[in-house]
Amino acid sequence: MQKLNDLSRSLAVLEPDVTLIAVIEMSLSSWLVAGIVPGVERQPLKKLAVDESALLKLLHRWREEAEKAGRRIKRIVVAFEAGRDGFWLARWLKACGIEAYVIHASSVAVSREHRRAKTDRLDTELLKRAVLGWLRGERDHCKMVAIPTIKDEDAKRPNRERDSLVGERSRIVNRMKAALVRLGIRGFNPKLKRAAERLDGLRTPEGEPIPPNTMAELRRDMERRRLVNNQIRQIEEARLERLEQTPSDGPHAMVRLLARVIGVGIETADMLVHEVLTRNMRDRRAVARYGGLTGSPDESGRRRREKGLARSGNARVRRGMIQLAWRFLLHQKNSALAQWYRARTENARGTRKPLIVALARKLLIALWRLVRQGVVPDGVVLRLAQ
């Protein structure tokens, strides 16, 4: 009954005679804008340069055409798929008094033909059908992405940049080790403080020094690694400084609370808060789905099988929570979650990895309740508040 009432209210909100709908197929060089204009039989299609002012002029022109046809436009809705451009256009349109929605690209159903035609024009037709269904209240037509503020987007950048730099540092070290192994030199650790000084003393199995070009490459890689380390240190120091300056700020208070859980560090706490815990989630199932820690069952007739983890969630949260789950077993051995895991894996073979995902899902929900409701998970030990 509740779903029927929601559908009735949504149908009442969508008034086709006074609503102008436009969808945008965006690329690096141009925008293809398709519209549904009340009173105009044709459905206009216009290719524009990447220019928000030209888009606004086009929407106003279509509204004037509808008014000439005797329809008074009260509502303009613009939708486009989430992509490289991010959310700036949606924020700009909302500031101009226009409803803007960002469609989750993978939520739009497409034809399952092996060789289907795909053009920007056909894509706009798909988007128009999906948006119309969604506005009517049929939520399964597509999924809309929550539009973050600039502040929310900017808060994610330090953790994501640090994650990228850590990966770059690992690639540099692996490249240096590979260059030395090609010469038969093993056991050299490029991460030591005096690694650069030891390069001159390295010798190949034939007793020859490192060739000049390889030596120059290794020294450049040493310099790159030193630069990356300095940048990682700057990010970490800036984060700690922000936490000390405004400790009671909403996200900062959440980070400090999570960091009190033994086994959870500042980096993991910062990632979880800005990626998932500050979002308005409906319930624990929504938290698990967004974290990418739910299954993907394949059921048809008598066939029942599990295809593994669904890939529709946040990959950073999924990877971080699985790593945190293994650490949680080491640092919170007396917690109810750790006991639950041990009870199910003690005498069962081949269940440790599948159940670690279940533990990660339960742990994410428990941390969500901790920062939202202040409920400490059973048996979890917290550090003293500083």
Side-chain angles (χ1 to χ4, degrees):
M1 182 60 70
Q2 181 65 32
K3 290 185 178 180
L4 290 176
N5 292 337
D6 293 343
L7 179 58
S8 300
R9 285 195 295 269
S10 300
L11 290 172
V13 170
L14 178 60
E15 300 174 284
D17 291 341
V18 297
T19 303
L20 190 155
I21 301 175
V23 298
I24 311 173
E25 183 67 23
M26 307 176 73
S27 67
L28 294 178
S29 58
S30 63
W31 292 345
L32 186 64
V33 188
I36 301 176
V37 184
V40 178
E41 185 176 355
R42 65 179 179 85
Q43 293 191 357
L45 191 68
K46 181 68 175 178
K47 189 172 185 179
L48 300 175
V50 180
D51 184 2
E52 63 274 13
S53 300
L55 173 63
L56 190 60
K57 291 179 181 178
L58 178 65
L59 295 175
H60 289 166
R61 193 183 76 192
W62 286 351
R63 180 170 60 184
E64 292 173 0
E65 291 181 12
E67 291 176 351
K68 288 180 182 178
R71 307 295 176 85
R72 186 171 178 271
I73 300 299
K74 298 181 181 178
R75 182 186 184 194
I76 300 179
V77 176
V78 177
F80 56 91
E81 287 182 311
R84 183 177 181 273
D85 283 80
F87 303 96
W88 72 268
L89 182 59
R91 289 192 291 262
W92 185 83
L93 289 170
K94 287 190 172 184
C96 295
I98 297 173
E99 285 187 46
Y101 298 101
V102 181
I103 306 170
H104 198 299
S106 62
S107 69
V108 179
V110 298
S111 173
R112 294 189 296 175
E113 295 178 73
H114 181 62
R115 288 189 177 180
R116 66 180 183 91
K118 185 188 182 303
T119 64
D120 288 344
R121 181 182 60 81
L122 294 177
D123 287 345
T124 57
E125 295 296 329
L126 284 175
L127 293 181
K128 281 192 293 186
R129 288 196 293 271
V131 172
L132 276 173
W134 189 85
L135 291 174
R136 286 196 303 266
E138 302 172 23
R139 300 305 187 186
D140 290 335
H141 269 264
C142 62
K143 305 295 182 184
M144 296 298 178
V145 182
I147 300 174
T149 63
I150 293 182
K151 182 179 178 180
D152 292 338
E153 280 196 298
D154 189 61
K156 298 178 182 178
R157 300 314 308 167
N159 188 272
R160 294 188 177 186
E161 182 188 4
R162 183 186 179 280
D163 189 42
S164 176
L165 289 174
V166 169
E168 178 64 22
R169 181 173 62 184
S170 298
R171 285 190 291 271
I172 292 172
V173 171
N174 292 338
R175 188 166 61 241
M176 294 175 65
K177 289 182 177 180
L180 291 173
V181 167
R182 281 196 297 268
L183 299 175
I185 300 174
R186 299 176 181 273
F188 179 76
N189 189 355
K191 295 183 287 186
L192 296 178
K193 289 184 178 180
R194 297 186 177 181
E197 301 175 6
R198 292 182 54 198
L199 282 177
D200 292 330
L202 293 179
R203 292 292 183 271
T204 65
E206 296 87 355
E208 298 292 331
I210 298 176
N213 290 334
T214 304
M215 177 66 77
E217 178 186 355
L218 291 172
R219 294 199 179 278
R220 284 191 292 267
D221 281 337
M222 287 276 188
E223 188 63 30
R224 290 192 190 98
R225 183 179 174 276
R226 190 178 301 111
L227 174 62
V228 170
N229 276 336
N230 291 336
Q231 291 177 343
I232 292 174
R233 192 177 303 110
Q234 291 172 8
I235 293 172
E236 294 173 349
E237 292 174 354
R239 179 190 292 113
L240 294 176
E241 185 178 351
R242 287 193 298 269
L243 290 174
E244 292 177 359
Q245 289 177 352
T246 56
S248 59
D249 185 43
H252 292 174
M254 290 183 182
V255 172
R256 293 169 67 90
L257 177 58
L258 281 185
R260 289 182 57 194
V261 178
I262 295 179
V264 180
I266 288 291
E267 296 299 333
T268 302
D270 185 76
M271 182 274 295
L272 290 176
V273 167
H274 291 110
E275 292 289 347
V276 61
L277 297 180
T278 53
R279 299 173 67 92
N280 293 322
M281 296 294 184
R282 183 177 64 253
D283 53 22
R284 60 185 180 85
R285 292 183 177 88
V287 175
R289 282 196 301 269
Y290 185 79
L293 295 169
T294 55
S296 52
D298 183 12
E299 299 181 0
S300 179
R302 296 182 178 180
R303 183 179 64 187
R304 298 288 189 275
R305 69 187 184 97
E306 187 69 38
K307 295 188 293 184
L309 280 178
R311 297 299 183 184
S312 58
N314 189 312
R316 290 182 177 86
V317 176
R318 177 172 56 245
R319 182 174 62 250
M321 283 307 305
I322 291 176
Q323 293 173 353
L324 176 60
W326 288 114
R327 293 202 307 271
F328 190 82
L329 293 175
L330 294 176
H331 298 283
Q332 299 284 353
K333 296 180 180 180
N334 297 325
S335 64
L337 289 176
Q339 293 175 3
W340 171 87
Y341 178 83
R342 287 198 299 269
R344 281 160 178 77
T345 58
E346 187 174 6
N347 297 320
R349 299 181 61 182
T351 60
R352 294 183 73 245
K353 288 186 177 180
L355 274 178
I356 201 67
V357 177
L359 176 63
R361 179 170 60 248
K362 288 176 174 289
L363 180 57
L364 178 59
I365 295 170
L367 296 178
W368 173 68
R369 286 174 173 163
L370 173 63
V371 299
R372 288 290 183 174
Q373 304 170 9
V375 179
V376 180
D378 294 340
V380 170
V381 181
L382 301 180
R383 299 184 181 92
L384 295 178
Q386 297 180 357

